Amino acid sequence: MLQTPYYLIDEQKLLANMRVMDAVREKSGAKVLLALKCFASWAVFPLMAEHMDGTTSSSLNEVKLGRRKFGGETHAYSVAYADHEIDEVIENADKIIFNSISQLTRFEAASAGMTRGLRLNPGVSTSSFDLADPARPFSRLGEGDPAKVEAVLEKISGFMVHNNCENGDFALFDDMLAKVEAKFGHLFGQVDWVSLGGGIHFTGKDYPVDALCRRLKDFAERYGVQVYLEPGEAAITRTTTLEVSVLDRLTNGKELAIVDSSVEAHMLDLLIYRESAKLEPNEGPHRVMICGKSCLAGDIFGEFSFEKPLEIGDRISIQDAAGYTMVKKNWFNGVKMPAIAVKGLDGSVRIARDFTYDDYEQSLS
Ligand SMILES: *Cc1c(COP(=O)(O)O)cnc(C)c1O
């Protein structure tokens, strides 16, 4: 048995999501690009690259990773590029999408000859968290004034709009897209491509994939554009666990178990959005609070039910540890960094990466 802690990516589960990617590409004509800010564990890119068209990025580092490790079509986007980054971004990208007209103007000469796009902000979104709402008041994410966008139309050949967030409700997506069209539809007919961003949870259970595909196909035909989707979470949802072991048991009003991991270091997104971790099957008479080993008082994965009392050495699988999780792992408290293991299609498990004391030392100076 591998030593915990480690993230375990299951390629069989990944393949199930990838088959949905194939169906969406085939039925809608849309191209799908993996959003690297959500998931950048390149050990499984060879499998994903067979079912997705490429990657999209939010920084110079991501665009380089996409080009080197994933291949296919490489989109570059960033909230803001620095002068010293722009040449390397362009070298590594097939398209560059600017976040603002001012960045487009600043890098107009540098990006001449490059396929260019602009991010639009439709002023509406499905995010229930202010923190992650691109349409929040005073948002810096994309241009919102159609007249200003129209004035720079000859400099670009496409648009990107990203205003869905883990949206598993097709009717809501449909409604959002109608609002985007009401605001910017007259411009869509004048470009070659429109990326509708990520946040559409079309790999979720019972999602009406066919209805989504029809909507996307209609959209593409109405404006004569190539549609792109940029799934992050939808590509890797339910594929990965964080495998941990119980190190100690305590009782303090509740039954507590301390594991060889930390929410803040290894599943930071749970803290940021104040969510509980997920455990399966989470059934049985023994209720235990699973706690991290960092010294943060609130380093708690959540409270779960078990068939038997937990013992020191017992193993626990924390579900859904891929999206916005592995990309955010950090060395807080110097906690042992989880290795990255891959369960291949043949069922065998290999360690793709292990982290040592040297990695910790090298992460600072
Ligand atoms: C975050 C992001 C995505 C991916 O979003 P998911 O919710 O993970 O699908 C795609 N495009 C852009 C521009 C993003 O900022």
Side-chain angles (χ1 to χ4, degrees):
M1 258 215 288
L2 300 182
Q3 197 172 90
T4 57
Y6 58 96
Y7 297 101
L8 180 62
I9 309 171
D10 186 329
E11 286 195 324
Q12 202 68 53
K13 293 179 182 165
L14 190 57
L15 187 59
N17 289 347
M18 292 301 110
R19 294 205 195 290
V20 182
M21 298 292 151
D22 282 334
V24 167
R25 293 159 84 197
E26 195 189 309
K27 290 181 190 166
S28 73
K31 293 187 179 182
V32 294
L33 307 178
L34 176 66
L36 293 174
K37 81 162 194 282
C38 170
F39 182 78
S41 299
W42 44 269
V44 293
F45 282 2
L47 171 66
M48 300 178 87
E50 288 178 31
H51 307 273
M52 300 180 78
D53 295 283
T55 55
T56 189
S57 54
S58 35
S59 61
L60 170 58
N61 282 333
E62 284 187 357
V63 81
K64 280 169 76 172
L65 187 79
R67 164 92 3 128
R68 289 179 190 197
K69 296 290 188 187
F70 202 105
E73 221 174 308
T74 308
H75 282 199
Y77 163 76
S78 174
V79 169
Y81 291 112
D83 290 355
H84 62 83
E85 294 176 321
I86 198 72
D87 289 343
E88 209 179 349
V89 168
I90 287 168
E91 228 170 84
N92 284 283
D94 297 301
K95 284 191 179 66
I96 185 163
I97 300 165
F98 291 106
N99 182 64
S100 67
I101 291 171
S102 103
Q103 283 252 308
L104 170 65
T105 309
R106 183 172 190 85
F107 299 120
E108 189 179 346
S111 63
M114 180 82 179
T115 304
R116 291 186 292 224
L118 186 64
R119 179 169 183 171
L120 302 176
N121 189 326
V124 288
S125 94
T126 72
S127 177
S128 46
F129 293 98
D130 194 45
L131 183 64
D133 180 0
R136 79 209 300 263
F138 318 112
S139 175
R140 70 197 185 297
L141 302 173
E143 292 288 348
D145 181 345
K148 286 189 186 154
V149 174
E150 193 155 18
V152 297
L153 213 51
E154 83 278 4
K155 299 182 172 125
I156 56 176
S157 64
F159 293 117
M160 187 266 277
V161 183
H162 170 70
N163 69 336
N164 285 277
C165 182
E166 294 201 25
N167 181 5
D169 177 351
F170 170 69
L172 182 58
F173 167 77
D174 183 30
D175 178 52
M176 278 295 138
L177 189 54
K179 289 187 168 117
V180 171
E181 291 181 88
K183 191 162 183 185
F184 295 109
H186 62 292
L187 303 178
F188 292 163
Q190 304 179 58
V191 294
D192 302 330
W193 54 274
V194 175
S195 174
L196 298 175
I200 312 166
H201 209 62
F202 58 85
T203 50
K205 207 167 160 281
D206 300 329
Y207 190 92
V209 173
D210 287 346
L212 173 70
C213 292
R214 271 195 304 278
R215 182 69 170 95
L216 297 177
K217 196 156 189 250
D218 285 351
F219 180 95
E221 284 167 3
R222 184 168 320 139
Y223 304 108
V225 291
Q226 170 67 52
V227 170
Y228 288 87
L229 298 178
E230 304 174 350
E233 185 64 42
I236 46 68
T237 186
R238 299 184 316 275
T239 62
T240 300
T241 53
L242 174 59
E243 301 291 320
V244 302
S245 298
V246 176
L247 299 179
D248 199 8
R249 292 292 327 261
L250 303 169
T251 311
N252 185 10
K254 288 184 175 179
E255 293 294 319
L256 312 177
I258 298 169
V259 298
D260 55 356
S261 178
S262 156
V263 177
E264 183 158 30
H266 306 156
M267 294 196 95
L268 182 59
D269 229 36
L270 296 178
L271 268 194
I272 294 174
Y273 292 100
R274 296 171 194 281
E275 288 172 343
S276 168
K278 284 181 234 155
L279 247 71
E280 284 167 5
N282 197 14
E283 280 164 13
H286 298 278
R287 198 75 187 149
V288 184
M289 183 184 273
I290 304 296
C291 310
K293 65 169 285 176
S294 83
C295 47
L296 178 75
D299 190 350
I300 296 163
F301 286 91
E303 260 184 82
F304 307 98
S305 299
F306 296 89
E307 282 299 338
K308 289 189 287 190
L310 282 180
E311 312 264 1
I312 290 168
D314 280 356
R315 295 213 169 194
I316 298 173
S317 294
I318 298 166
Q319 302 295 311
D320 245 337
Y324 301 99
T325 303
M326 302 172 80
V327 289
K328 293 190 180 187
K329 62 189 170 45
N330 62 69
W331 287 104
F332 182 58
N333 266 231
V335 178
K336 168 79 173 80
M337 186 69 79
I340 298 173
V342 178
K343 187 172 183 188
L345 294 176
D346 64 1
S348 65
V349 176
R350 69 183 170 94
I351 296 215
R353 179 91 158 92
D354 200 2
F355 299 92
T356 62
Y357 168 76
D358 287 336
D359 293 306
Y360 169 59
E361 191 182 284
Q362 292 301 317
S363 74
L364 286 168
S365 185

